[in-house]
Amino acid sequence: RYQVKRKTPGNFNDSIKIAVCPWELPQWPEEAKFVFRDINYFWAATNFIKNAFKDIFPNEKIFHAPPAVHIDEIHLEEFDVRLIEGEFVFLTVFDGLSSISRKNPIASIRAFQRAFVRGENVKLVVKTMNFNNNSDELNELAQLIRSDGRIELVNEKLTKSDLFKLVKSCHSFISLHRSEGFGRNIAEAMLFKRPVIVSAFSGNLDFCFAENSYLVEGELVPVKKGEYWYSDGQKWFDASVEHAAQQMYEVFINREVAFEKAERAYKYMSTYHSIQSTGERYSQLLSQIANNLL
């Protein structure tokens, strides 16, 4: 939460309060409307989040405020997907304590298995933490991983540095999520010049386009009971496993196009979501709010 002080002296209640709230479904729930009771402005990281709040908060006080996505130079490297020799490695990521239904790693595994059935030299790394077989979905996931020697499970909490090393050890990032507020792991993979294969839905569409990503088609389906908090009556995205498999195979077989997309993704992220660009946008938004107080 940010504050813009009024020009007249006062306490916290006399401040202008700006909320920055991540959210991952198409609408903000009725049960949680109270959080906006004392908020003056809302900054939405993506147009998806902005639209989620438009029916419960004054539209003229909701601003699109994309965040910075930054990786220290020490972690960056020159990468060219065309030069990969030997095993080609895909990576998908989720947290076992989060909504596994939202991250949908099972779809990524099924797409991988459908795409590569001819003995190609490929591998899928499933990175998670807090993975234990205490639900039907996790049990199914564990069974799929155990049944395929080409799939590796990395189940541990990594430092940011070690996570970046893992991303750099893989060659393409896949996220068949059902919904993302923003999609930072996708954005970071793009900064590493890894071709990304992603659901064509939700917050990541602010920076994932046909020109710089492999978008996966799908359909809207109801959020089932217990899959996400405060989700009654809402829908999210179910990515097509068949289309995802086609996109994975395309990345593997046509690396010239994959390289071009990854280069365009890197240029977009490193420019539009740089610290400098983001800081300039935030400064303009704060000036706009301050001018309204004059």
Side-chain angles (χ1 to χ4, degrees):
R1 186 164 62 179
Y2 299 89
Q3 295 181 56
V4 179
K5 292 291 187 181
R6 296 181 189 272
K7 290 186 177 297
T8 55
N11 58 26
F12 180 80
N13 291 328
D14 292 324
S15 301
I16 297 298
K17 290 170 280 293
I18 304 169
V20 180
C21 181
W23 181 242
E24 294 158 339
L25 290 181
Q27 288 90 38
W28 183 257
E30 289 283 336
E31 302 93 324
K33 282 186 176 181
F34 69 90
V35 302
F36 295 104
R37 186 172 50 213
D38 299 317
I39 298 300
N40 303 105
Y41 291 91
F42 182 80
W43 284 9
T46 61
N47 283 299
F48 178 76
I49 296 176
K50 183 178 180 181
N51 289 334
F53 290 93
K54 67 180 182 181
D55 293 333
I56 63 170
F57 199 77
N59 289 351
E60 68 275 10
K61 294 187 176 183
I62 306 177
F63 296 99
H64 184 213
V69 182
H70 176 75
I71 296 174
D72 290 336
E73 290 294 329
I74 190 173
H75 295 297
L76 293 176
E77 62 173 1
E78 285 301 317
F79 176 75
D80 188 335
V81 70
R82 299 171 300 182
L83 303 180
I84 297 171
E85 296 180 358
E87 191 173 55
F88 193 103
V89 185
F90 294 88
L91 171 68
T92 192
V93 174
F94 77 100
D95 184 349
L97 292 182
S98 183
S99 169
I100 184 174
S101 298
R102 184 179 69 81
K103 285 295 190 178
N104 200 19
I106 291 174
S108 295
I109 292 175
R110 294 196 181 283
F112 172 79
Q113 292 175 326
R114 186 169 298 189
F116 304 106
V117 295
R118 307 176 186 86
E120 296 93 338
N121 195 10
V122 293
K123 178 180 179 179
L124 174 65
V125 174
V126 179
K127 164 64 180 77
T128 185
M129 58 184 179
N130 304 309
F131 182 94
N132 50 64
N133 303 353
N134 59 2
S135 73
D136 291 342
E137 284 181 305
L138 286 175
N139 281 325
E140 181 182 358
L141 186 67
Q143 185 175 352
L144 285 171
I145 293 172
R146 285 195 297 264
S147 66
D148 194 331
R150 303 171 301 168
I151 302 175
E152 176 185 350
L153 176 66
V154 178
N155 179 30
E156 59 181 303
K157 186 174 182 179
L158 300 178
T159 65
K160 196 68 172 178
S161 178
D162 286 340
L163 180 60
F164 286 160
K165 289 178 183 178
L166 177 64
V167 175
K168 290 194 291 186
S169 72
C170 301
H171 307 130
S172 178
F173 186 86
I174 179 168
S175 176
L176 300 185
H177 59 269
R178 290 196 167 98
S179 193
E180 284 281 10
F182 178 68
R184 182 166 292 273
N185 50 16
I186 300 169
E188 290 176 343
M190 294 168 86
L191 275 180
F192 280 118
K193 298 185 181 180
R194 267 54 182 179
V196 298
I197 304 162
V198 295
S199 297
F201 181 73
S202 63
N204 61 289
L205 290 186
D206 271 17
F207 55 88
C208 293
F209 320 114
E211 295 78 15
N212 69 7
S213 309
Y214 289 84
L215 298 177
V216 177
E217 302 167 354
E219 61 180 352
L220 292 179
V221 297
V223 182
K224 297 177 183 177
K225 185 176 179 61
E227 288 186 328
Y228 201 85
W229 307 272
Y230 303 114
S231 58
D232 289 350
Q234 300 220 44
K235 293 184 177 182
W236 56 11
F237 191 76
D238 194 31
S240 165
V241 169
E242 179 63 36
H243 190 224
Q246 293 171 7
Q247 297 288 53
M248 293 180 81
Y249 192 73
E250 177 66 19
V251 170
F252 174 73
I253 203 71
N254 194 345
R255 301 183 192 181
E256 183 68 39
V257 174
F259 170 77
E260 292 171 357
K261 283 180 180 278
E263 281 288 306
R264 285 193 288 267
Y266 167 77
K267 289 177 182 178
Y268 182 85
M269 294 305 304
S270 61
T271 302
Y272 188 73
H273 286 276
S274 69
I275 291 176
Q276 179 175 346
S277 295
T278 302
E280 291 172 355
R281 282 195 298 271
Y282 287 4
S283 178
Q284 292 170 3
L285 290 175
L286 290 172
S287 295
Q288 185 176 345
I289 292 172
N291 289 335
N292 290 338
L293 302 178
L294 296 176

